[in-house]
Amino acid sequence: MTELLLVRYGEIFLKGLNRPYFIRALVRKVRYAVRGLGAEVWVHDGRIFVRGFSDLEECISRVTKVFGVHSVCPAVEMPKEDFDSICVQAVEMTRDLKGTFKVNARRSDKQYPMNSPAINEEAGFRILQANPNLKVDVHDPEHVVNIEIRDMAYLYVKVIPAVGGMPVGTNGNAALLLSGGIDSPVAGWMIAKRGVQICAVHFHSYPYTSDRAKEKVLDLARKLSFSCCGIKVFVVPFTEIQMVIHEKCPEEYTTLIMRRYMMRIAERIAREQECEALITGESIGQVASQTMTALGTTDSVTKMPVFRPLIGFDKSEIISIARKIGTLEISELPYEDCCTVFTPRHPATHPKMEKILEGEAKLDTEDLIAKAMKGVEMIRV
């Protein structure tokens, strides 16, 4: 008898002839997640298995964070030939349970001498005999005792929900504009969940933003990296650009012009990293630079698609997701990011493009961007 994890996937089942590609990708990500635990990961007969781990709880914690994993089941593997031993194990696994249950047997081995209804009946009878605190409910049970007959027998009761989604890297690459706030980490997590491999671009305005603010962003990236299986963070020196904008451009347009420079630089980094899109955490109307008119002016400087998964969310919904994925506590640390530096008193909410272009005409755009690109620092987390 061997303890292992049975890893179940959901949406991948819909992929038809492409399913093996997605399963292989998911197996690679699960192997990455459990590295250092001595675990073996393999796929057989449509199931992914993990065994040989040194720490069960840590292994479960890691695997449930992998995008593409629908649920994880701590299971027991044992020979299928001795049905009495299978029933003994089923009884043992339900010894401390109370309430209602049913047995759910599945056979991929159709040569097995007992069919699924017979397995359900016999195993259920023995569980009832051993545990008077249980009653049968085949329609809406509190507990399900799963018995799978494959090349071996696999038994499990507990099903632990995971993040779901698609394996990272199966749907291309995108660059996330990552600030130290609540929104952008959530936006990156949501797009990565759809199978997109993300890198992060952070704009750092030292000395107006501290090294601790930079470390806060790296902590956010580390939190995302558990599900994304590693992230590259590109830290862009942004102080000179912000100061020049503040000195030469109309005050009410400084935030929008700053955002336009961020998009230009992020697109260049994205293309160098073979990304196909940018990701931002903007939501309509949340701040002055996120009105529909303002968003249109920032999008106009890039030819890449810009993904905004939070565009229709209110703040409470975003905070709820941030709490769920573990980034909220980090985002709430009191360290400013570059977006709070030189904030205008009365930012334009319905900007005129001619005013923006008039302000940018006073700047040497290519020189400013070239200097910023030269100082980019790449950190792998």
Side-chain angles (χ1 to χ4, degrees), residues 181-203:
I182 295 173
D183 302 340
S184 58
V186 174
W189 186 88
M190 291 178 69
I191 294 296
K193 184 178 178 181
R194 298 309 307 149
V196 177
Q197 178 70 60
I198 65 172
C199 65
V201 181
H202 174 64
F203 295 90

Side-chain angles (χ1 to χ4, degrees), residues 259-260 262-268 270-271 276-278 280 295-306 308:
R259 292 289 298 173
R260 283 162 62 89
M262 287 180 172
M263 298 294 274
R264 290 181 176 110
I265 293 169
E267 181 178 19
R268 295 197 184 191
R271 293 195 184 281
E276 302 168 64
L278 301 177
T280 73
L295 293 175
T297 65
T298 57
D299 281 1
S300 66
V301 299
T302 177
K303 295 181 180 179
M304 276 189 168
V306 181
R308 293 186 172 96

Side-chain angles (χ1 to χ4, degrees), residues 116-319:
S116 296
I119 295 172
N120 292 338
E121 182 177 347
E122 182 62 27
F125 172 72
R126 298 199 193 188
I127 291 170
L128 277 175
Q129 278 191 318
N131 189 343
N133 295 317
L134 286 174
K135 294 182 179 180
V136 173
D137 183 346
V138 297
H139 300 294
D140 188 24
E142 297 173 70
H143 311 286
V144 178
V145 181
N146 292 276
I147 302 175
E148 297 189 8
I149 304 297
R150 300 175 178 273
D151 54 341
M152 301 282 282
Y154 298 92
L155 286 75
Y156 58 94
V157 177
K158 192 173 183 180
V159 178
I160 302 169
V163 289
M166 299 295 294
V168 167
T170 56
N171 281 318
N173 305 321
L176 167 68
L177 279 71
L178 180 63
S179 71
I182 295 173
D183 302 340
S184 58
V186 174
W189 186 88
M190 291 178 69
I191 294 296
K193 184 178 178 181
R194 298 309 307 149
V196 177
Q197 178 70 60
I198 65 172
C199 65
V201 181
H202 174 64
F203 295 90
H204 187 51
S205 297
Y206 183 84
Y208 298 101
T209 55
S210 66
D211 284 337
R212 187 62 191 89
K214 173 182 170 182
E215 189 60 33
K216 171 185 173 181
V217 170
L218 295 177
D219 287 342
L220 288 169
R222 290 186 186 100
K223 184 65 69 171
L224 294 176
S225 73
F226 284 108
S227 292
C228 298
C229 298
I231 293 178
K232 290 188 286 187
V233 181
F234 296 87
V235 181
V236 181
F238 204 56
T239 309
E240 181 177 353
I241 292 177
Q242 283 192 283
M243 293 187 68
V244 172
I245 292 172
H246 179 67
E247 291 169 3
K248 297 185 177 182
C249 298
E251 182 186 8
E252 65 271 24
Y253 282 91
T254 54
T255 298
L256 282 177
I257 293 173
M258 177 193 74
R259 292 289 298 173
R260 283 162 62 89
Y261 272 80
M262 287 180 172
M263 298 294 274
R264 290 181 176 110
I265 293 169
E267 181 178 19
R268 295 197 184 191
I269 293 173
R271 293 195 184 281
E272 289 179 358
Q273 297 301 306
E274 300 183 344
C275 295
E276 302 168 64
L278 301 177
I279 308 166
T280 73
E282 292 152 322
S283 170
I284 289 178
Q286 185 169 227
V287 296
S289 63
Q290 295 179 17
T291 63
M292 290 184 66
T293 308
L295 293 175
T297 65
T298 57
D299 281 1
S300 66
V301 299
T302 177
K303 295 181 180 179
M304 276 189 168
V306 181
F307 296 154
R308 293 186 172 96
L310 307 181
I311 197 69
F313 284 51
D314 63 36
K315 199 64 179 185
S316 63
E317 292 172 317
I318 299 170
I319 288 172

